[in-house]
Amino acid sequence: MADLIFCEWLKLKRSKIIVIELLGAMIVPLLLTIQNIRNACSETEPIHDIAWLYEDELMFVMLMFGPLVMTVVTVFLFHREYTEKTLKTLFTVPIGRISFLAAKYILLLFLTMGFLLLSWLYLLFFSILCSLFFEIGQLTVMSAIYFFLKMFKAGALLFAVLTPFGYLTLKSKGMMAPLLALGFVILLNVVMSGAPGGIWDPWLLVYWLATTGRLPGGGPAFAGILLILAVCFLGIGASMVRFYREDLG
């Protein structure tokens, strides 16, 4: 399994997708830093502290930029063999289909965790640079560790709701279906944010659980975690069944 994961990593490393993830993780921290600098230069806007910046970063990353960037990574990861027409050749060596697909999902987990942790690191780095010129509140080691743990949890939650996009890629053997589904999910997050029905939107729940540890409206986290796990295992299970039945002839 470790060899399969390493091979998948090497394939991604030779492509532009890692660069996309590295740059994508920088977008939100950079924009928030620019906003904070603008506030610092304004006489009417307050200077925000690191806690405010991280909370805003979590909101934008979990509800918009995270799903956007990581769905592109997911589609590339699961679609590459179809694009390059190497799937039939690949299975001339003794590789189990389930093991092959499991390696992709494990790598996707690592990449998603890495995306969130990179976002945390970028914002911390930009904030330290800005602190040389103006004061940023709560910029301490303990606050950095606290939000590192939040980002770590957010990465695991975001991965859980990415698995259906892997299935859609395998099912359609193309990029259009998962990207259209992504557009629907982002619009759904906007519509359901603050609405009572938001507790049934797993892509919105990952944000609430990552930031507050509770459901919208203050409900217990247990039901939300069960829903997210159901989405995760449904996506993985459906992918396994679909790929196991794949005709490579």
Side-chain angles (χ1 to χ4, degrees), residues 30-240:
L30 182 60
L31 292 177
L32 288 175
T33 301
I34 292 172
Q35 172 69 14
N36 208 34
I37 293 173
R38 189 187 70 82
N39 291 344
C41 297
S42 171
E43 296 181 357
T44 58
E45 295 286 344
I47 300 175
H48 296 114
D49 58 34
I50 191 70
W52 181 92
L53 291 172
Y54 270 121
E55 293 295 343
D56 263 26
E57 181 183 39
L58 269 169
M59 179 180 67
F60 288 117
V61 167
M62 295 300 287
L63 297 181
M64 185 176 295
F65 283 96
L68 176 62
V69 175
M70 293 314 302
T71 297
V72 171
V73 173
T74 302
V75 170
F76 183 87
L77 186 62
F78 285 84
H79 185 250
R80 180 166 182 152
E81 282 76 22
Y82 294 106
T83 304
E84 300 177 354
K85 303 185 185 302
T86 58
L87 196 59
K88 185 177 179 180
T89 306
L90 187 64
F91 283 101
T92 57
V93 296
I95 300 174
R97 296 193 185 196
I98 301 302
S99 298
F100 177 73
L101 203 58
K104 288 184 177 291
Y105 273 116
I106 292 171
L107 181 58
L108 179 60
L109 172 61
F110 291 150
L111 291 172
T112 308
M113 301 287 283
F115 178 82
L116 269 294
L117 296 180
L118 274 173
S119 294
W120 166 83
L121 185 60
Y122 283 137
L123 186 57
L124 180 62
F125 175 72
F126 291 147
S127 297
I128 291 173
L129 284 181
C130 289
S131 69
L132 300 176
F133 304 98
F134 56 85
E135 183 180 357
I136 296 181
Q138 301 186 41
L139 187 56
T140 64
V141 173
M142 291 306 298
S143 67
I145 294 173
Y146 174 75
F147 284 105
F148 173 87
L149 295 175
K150 270 198 171 186
M151 288 292 191
F152 189 87
K153 179 171 67 172
L157 290 168
L158 181 59
F159 162 78
V161 293
L162 288 174
T163 59
F165 298 109
Y167 166 72
L168 286 175
T169 305
L170 293 173
K171 177 68 176 177
S172 64
K173 298 182 182 179
M175 297 181 287
M176 188 62 69
L179 293 180
L180 286 174
L182 169 66
F184 170 77
V185 164
I186 292 177
L187 287 175
L188 182 66
N189 287 342
V190 173
V191 171
M192 300 305 291
S193 180
I199 60 173
W200 301 107
D201 178 3
W203 293 274
L204 180 60
L205 289 182
V206 294
Y207 164 67
W208 283 100
L209 292 175
T211 53
T212 67
R214 299 182 69 83
L215 299 184
F222 182 71
I225 292 173
L226 285 180
L227 178 59
I228 291 169
L229 286 176
V231 170
C232 178
F233 289 121
L234 182 63
I236 293 175
S239 300
M240 295 291 184

